[in-house]
Amino acid sequence: MYRVSLEGRGDFTEWRDAARTFLSANVSPHEIEWRCRGEETGLLGFEEENLPAAVDNATGVQVPSAFMPLAQTIICHSDPKRFSLLYRLLWRLGQDRALLQFKSDPDVAEARKLEKSVRRDSHKMTAFVRFKEVALATGEAGRRRFIAWFEPDHFIVERKAAFFQRRFTDMDWLILTPKGSARWDGEALETSRLAAEQPDLSDETDELWRTYYANIFNPARLKIKAMTAEMPKKYWKNLPEADLIPDLILNAERRVLEMGAKAATEPQLFHHRIQAAAENKLAPALPDADTLEGLRHEAKDCTLCSLHCKATQTVFGEGPANADVMIVGEQPGDFEDLAGRPFVGPAGKMFDQVLGETGMERQKLYVTNAVKHFKYESRGKKRIHQRPDAGEVQRCRWWLTREIDLVQPKLIVAMGATAMFALTGLKEKLSDLRGRPMPMDGGRMLFVTVHPSYLLRIPDEQRKAEEFQRFREDMQAVRRLMEARQESELLVSAVG
């Protein structure tokens, strides 16, 4: 049996060097006893370290790139079993490079659990470290100085020190923890693995934090389980506002009742003047194009709402100017915004597929949207779809109304609640109107169904298949409605 003692305070190099020695000597995991220095073994105290002899020209194990960041994270964990777990994974990766892909494997599952714990602890450190200013000595000049105390679960101080150096590079600071400390003086970042003692610190901002927290605390949204899960006691007990929490929780129910009984406050007088001025403000002049092409040209410069500020371009409708059927969706998506055409993204491909299966031709349909600009929220490099609000739909309704006036469709298919609201002003449940032909002004007919993007968002495959079949049946009903309408018109024409 081989024995190895490590300092075990987040230093990946010491474990890596020992693991290489064992691996080069072909020592299997069950032959090694890993421990941290300071652990007692047996009645006689510490046993001596026992390492295999170095092997020259030993061939190393080629590990996948995902192993290194995983190991560097896990080594910061405080569990003493982490060393043997990592070596066991390293040993097994020599036999199966794809091991880390098997999430159900006990070793891989345990490694991911430790990794998640370290990452969560690191996140909590960046969220809950609270600096307190230390006054300079009388007559002393220099940069402002701050000290913070934090109690992490794991050895993450060295891991997160660079984050604080980048974030607070304009001040001198010292972070103390029971698992090490970090110091920045404006020139050098230093870390120590020695345990620190909690200092007795306070400053004038403590009362500001208490005032702020007392004012943002909403008793009506109190969820104690969520509070304790996201902010365990060991994190918030060192924050100045923590001493307010017991009383705030105790009086939460009483404060909710008081809030409910309190009369709604009247808006300030200037609010009514602002509203009146907004109502009297002249709306921008709207174009009076008498052709679809002219309307499309005018819509390119639409500024009726703020959505045009972020969108790439206006996405106008397309299709025959005398189409019998008009399809109205919600708004352009990411693909449509870039291409400048409606229904060309994933939802558009599903729409085309259903049209083909039901015997309808897209070339004979006029396809458009209730809103002509893409509304989204940026998350990194992705643009995440956001539903347009009622005001944005109402402002864009002018373009949709003009499209209907110029195309003169006999049947309009509203896909989704936004399209239904734009065409009818109704905010009823879509399921209550779906699949029921409804008369409209001008002798037209309205047919309501879901938007294809709804089908793409269903996670359950069986339910997705059921909803897809129902959408297909809706489009078959649309085709039958048009065929019946055309037959009726032919009959009237023949009789006439």
Side-chain angles (χ1 to χ4, degrees):
M1 175 68 72
Y2 294 98
R3 293 179 295 276
V4 58
S5 297
L6 304 178
E7 184 181 12
R9 300 186 70 84
D11 185 1
F12 176 73
T13 304
E14 63 170 356
W15 174 86
R16 182 192 62 194
D17 293 344
R20 282 177 175 173
T21 301
F22 287 122
L23 206 61
S24 65
N26 199 32
V27 179
S28 63
H30 69 273
E31 299 180 78
I32 309 172
E33 178 186 343
W34 299 85
R35 65 187 181 214
C36 293
R37 294 193 187 106
E39 293 180 349
E40 292 187 354
T41 59
L43 296 175
L44 300 179
F46 303 108
E47 295 182 4
E48 293 183 2
E49 192 173 75
N50 178 21
L51 297 175
V55 178
D56 295 332
N57 301 323
T59 57
V61 173
Q62 296 294 320
V63 297
S65 59
F67 177 75
M68 291 301 290
L70 176 67
Q72 289 168 347
T73 302
I74 292 176
I75 212 69
C76 298
H77 203 281
S78 55
D79 189 342
K81 298 178 183 178
R82 64 192 183 278
F83 306 122
S84 56
L85 172 64
L86 285 175
Y87 186 75
R88 196 159 57 247
L89 284 173
L90 182 63
W91 178 268
R92 294 178 62 193
L93 283 169
Q95 304 164 14
D96 182 5
R97 281 179 54 83
L99 174 64
L100 296 181
Q101 299 177 17
F102 298 99
K103 297 181 180 180
S104 60
D105 181 271
D107 287 340
V108 176
E110 180 64 17
R112 295 301 182 190
K113 179 181 175 182
L114 298 187
E115 178 193 33
K116 182 178 180 180
S117 180
V118 172
R119 292 191 182 280
R120 184 176 188 272
D121 203 33
S122 300
H123 169 71
K124 295 299 182 185
M125 183 173 182
T126 60
F128 291 112
V129 161
R130 187 77 61 75
F131 286 105
K132 300 185 186 239
E133 187 165 8
V134 179
L136 297 175
T138 304
E140 183 181 6
R143 302 194 335 155
R144 299 171 69 187
R145 299 175 185 174
F146 296 82
I147 295 181
W149 171 258
F150 184 70
E151 298 179 28
D153 286 332
H154 309 301
F155 301 99
I156 58 172
V157 175
E158 292 185 19
R159 179 182 178 88
K160 299 308 297 181
F163 166 85
F164 289 97
Q165 184 265 321
R166 293 191 301 270
R167 178 68 64 86
F168 303 105
T169 190
D170 61 337
M171 67 188 200
D172 294 349
W173 51 259
L174 174 64
I175 300 177
L176 302 173
T177 84
K179 289 180 165 55
S181 58
R183 176 177 176 271
W184 169 250
D185 62 2
E187 295 181 357
L189 178 64
E190 300 176 358
T191 59
S192 169
R193 295 173 187 168
L194 299 176
E197 294 185 1
Q198 182 175 4
D200 183 14
L201 293 172
S202 64
D203 64 10
E204 59 185 13
T205 62
D206 287 356
E207 194 57 38
L208 291 176
W209 278 110
R210 292 189 184 94
T211 302
Y212 169 73
Y213 190 79
N215 281 276
I216 66 167
F217 183 82
N218 187 347
R221 302 187 65 181
L222 175 63
K223 295 181 180 179
I224 297 177
K225 283 188 177 180
M227 248 178 104
T228 53
E230 290 302 316
M231 194 170 68
K233 184 177 180 180
K234 68 186 184 66
Y235 293 127
W236 59 259
K237 69 178 182 179
N238 296 314
L239 303 180
E241 61 269 28
D243 55 9
L244 302 177
I245 294 178
D247 285 339
L248 290 173
I249 293 176
L250 182 64
N251 297 315
E253 185 175 355
R254 177 181 59 80
R255 290 183 60 193
V256 170
L257 294 176
E258 290 175 352
M259 290 166 61
K262 187 177 180 181
T265 56
E266 289 292 326
Q268 298 292 331
L269 292 176
F270 69 82
H271 175 79
H272 299 293
R273 293 196 294 269
I274 292 175
Q275 293 298 312
E279 292 176 359
N280 295 329
K281 184 178 178 180
L282 294 176
L286 294 171
D288 192 25
D290 55 3
T291 66
L292 275 178
E293 193 57 39
L295 196 65
R296 179 180 291 106
H297 178 75
E298 297 287 354
K300 289 181 179 180
D301 300 320
C302 176
T303 58
L304 291 177
C305 71
S306 61
L307 294 187
H308 75 280
C309 300
K310 293 176 64 178
T312 303
Q313 58 190 312
T314 302
V315 180
F316 205 72
E318 65 177 20
N322 59 347
D324 289 335
V325 180
M326 175 181 284
I327 307 292
V328 182
E330 180 190 74
Q331 67 160 343
D334 185 59
F335 286 85
E336 290 80 4
D337 176 68
L338 297 174
R341 297 181 57 212
F343 281 78
V344 294
K349 288 181 172 58
M350 178 173 285
F351 174 62
D352 290 341
Q353 176 186 341
V354 173
L355 288 180
E357 293 174 356
T358 55
M360 300 176 69
E361 299 179 44
R362 175 163 174 164
Q363 292 78 7
K364 295 183 178 181
L365 309 176
Y366 186 86
V367 182
T368 189
N369 283 297
V371 174
K372 311 303 184 190
H373 286 112
F374 180 32
K375 182 178 182 179
Y376 63 91
E377 176 185 6
S378 297
R379 295 183 190 171
K381 295 182 179 179
K382 293 185 177 180
R383 302 193 299 176
I384 307 302
H385 165 278
Q386 284 190 310
R387 176 177 292 185
D389 59 38
E392 291 158 348
V393 174
Q394 290 171 348
R395 289 181 179 88
C396 213
R397 183 179 287 158
W398 187 89
W399 298 106
L400 180 60
T401 301
R402 289 294 295 142
E403 285 179 293
I404 295 173
D405 291 342
L406 293 174
V407 177
Q408 290 292 310
K410 298 181 176 71
L411 173 64
I412 300 178
V413 180
M415 289 187 169
T418 299
M420 182 180 73
F421 173 68
L423 291 162
T424 65
L426 298 176
K427 292 187 177 181
E428 298 182 26
K429 291 177 61 177
L430 187 75
S431 57
D432 293 341
L433 301 177
R434 182 178 180 180
R436 260 190 321 150
M438 296 179 291
M440 296 181 71
D441 294 340
R444 300 185 187 89
M445 191 175 295
L446 176 67
F447 188 92
V448 177
T449 184
V450 296
H451 196 283
S453 62
Y454 159 73
L455 306 176
L456 296 174
R457 294 192 298 268
I458 300 175
D460 182 72
E461 291 300 325
Q462 180 178 353
R463 182 163 170 263
K464 179 183 287 188
E466 293 172 355
E467 288 296 322
F468 184 83
Q469 175 59 27
R470 190 178 175 192
F471 179 63
R472 185 188 291 113
E473 291 171 356
D474 283 348
M475 297 310 295
Q476 287 172 342
V478 169
R479 187 197 66 189
R480 289 194 295 270
L481 284 171
M482 282 313 305
E483 289 175 348
R485 180 112 183 192
Q486 291 168 357
E487 290 175 1
S488 175
E489 290 177 351
L490 288 174
L491 181 62
V492 170
S493 176
V495 173

